[in-house]
Amino acid sequence: MKQVWKIGTIFTAVVGIWISLLLTPGLPPSLQLIVPYFPMYALASLGCYGLGALGYGMMVFRVCPEEADLLQKDITEAKTFFKEHGVDLSSD
Amino acid sequence: MELGDRAIGFLLLLFSTTLFAYYTFWVIITPFVDSDHFVHSYFPAREYAIIIPGIAIAALVSFVLVFVGFVMVRASQGKPMAKSKTS
């Protein structure tokens, strides 16, 4: 429950800052054009970051061929061991 | 197999970077460009920078909720049928 309160207060504070920025009369016109688009821009950036991190993770994921071979050897060894001791491990 | 995964990952990375660059240019840079510059022909009206992601987010959330509801209804329908068969 504490984590929810913390996140909730931070979110409310950020939304409050955004609304106060929207309502200040004395803002320079360069900022006045961009401020209304802040929340949607933040959401779009979050989505793009998520997709990009996913793609990057897919690119650098290691496949470990040596460990795959060792695992196959372990599997065949275990199968022969169990077959000798009478347990049938065929998959049909 | 891993080459296919690498290619998909790279395409995803490229797509997300392009999307972010296009959206940033659209929201932050187009208001400061002269209204008769040629660059404005590559971007729709600036209001659509809110409307299109808004509709996309609403559609995504609706789809997730409908799917969860569908799975829940199907699960609760399976239980009474199994009970009546065994009893």
Side-chain angles (χ1 to χ4, degrees):
Chain A
M1 211 51 193
K2 264 190 193 171
Q3 187 73 1
V4 172
W5 280 112
K6 196 170 78 172
I7 294 178
T9 46
I10 292 178
F11 181 71
T12 313
V14 169
V15 169
I17 291 175
W18 177 61
I19 292 180
S20 64
L21 268 181
L22 273 181
L23 294 174
T24 51
L27 216 51
S30 59
L31 273 181
Q32 189 67 24
L33 282 169
I34 301 181
V35 166
Y37 291 79
F38 275 169
M40 195 52 84
Y41 184 74
L43 279 173
S45 321
L46 177 70
C48 285
Y49 165 73
L51 272 183
L54 215 136
Y56 178 72
M58 279 174 79
M59 265 175 41
V60 303
F61 196 75
R62 296 179 305 117
V63 130
C64 314
E66 313 90 15
E67 272 79 0
D69 285 335
L70 285 176
L71 192 60
Q72 286 299 111
K73 278 200 199 129
D74 279 344
I75 291 174
T76 49
E77 192 181 313
K79 271 188 184 166
T80 49
F81 174 81
F82 279 116
K83 194 172 289 184
E84 283 165 12
H85 288 249
V87 179
D88 184 14
L89 282 174
S90 58
S91 50
D92 44 39
Chain B
M1 232 183 356
E2 56 174 286
L3 191 62
D5 282 349
R6 289 241 176 93
I8 293 177
F10 177 69
L11 281 177
L12 205 54
L13 194 60
L14 200 65
F15 172 70
S16 69
T17 313
T18 312
L19 196 64
F20 179 70
Y22 183 83
Y23 193 74
T24 305
F25 206 93
W26 193 9
V27 169
I28 296 188
I29 302 194
T30 42
F32 301 112
V33 174
D34 288 333
S35 50
D36 51 355
H37 198 271
F38 75 97
V39 143
H40 282 279
S41 61
Y42 288 110
F43 299 99
R46 203 156 162 253
E47 297 81 37
Y48 286 104
I50 302 263
I51 294 175
I52 296 178
I55 292 183
I57 289 177
L60 187 71
V61 170
S62 314
F63 173 73
V64 168
L65 290 178
V66 161
F67 182 74
V68 167
F70 180 70
V71 167
M72 285 171 78
V73 163
R74 200 166 54 174
S76 72
Q77 270 176 355
K79 265 191 192 168
M81 280 173 63
K83 267 193 174 171
S84 66
K85 271 186 187 171
T86 54
S87 65

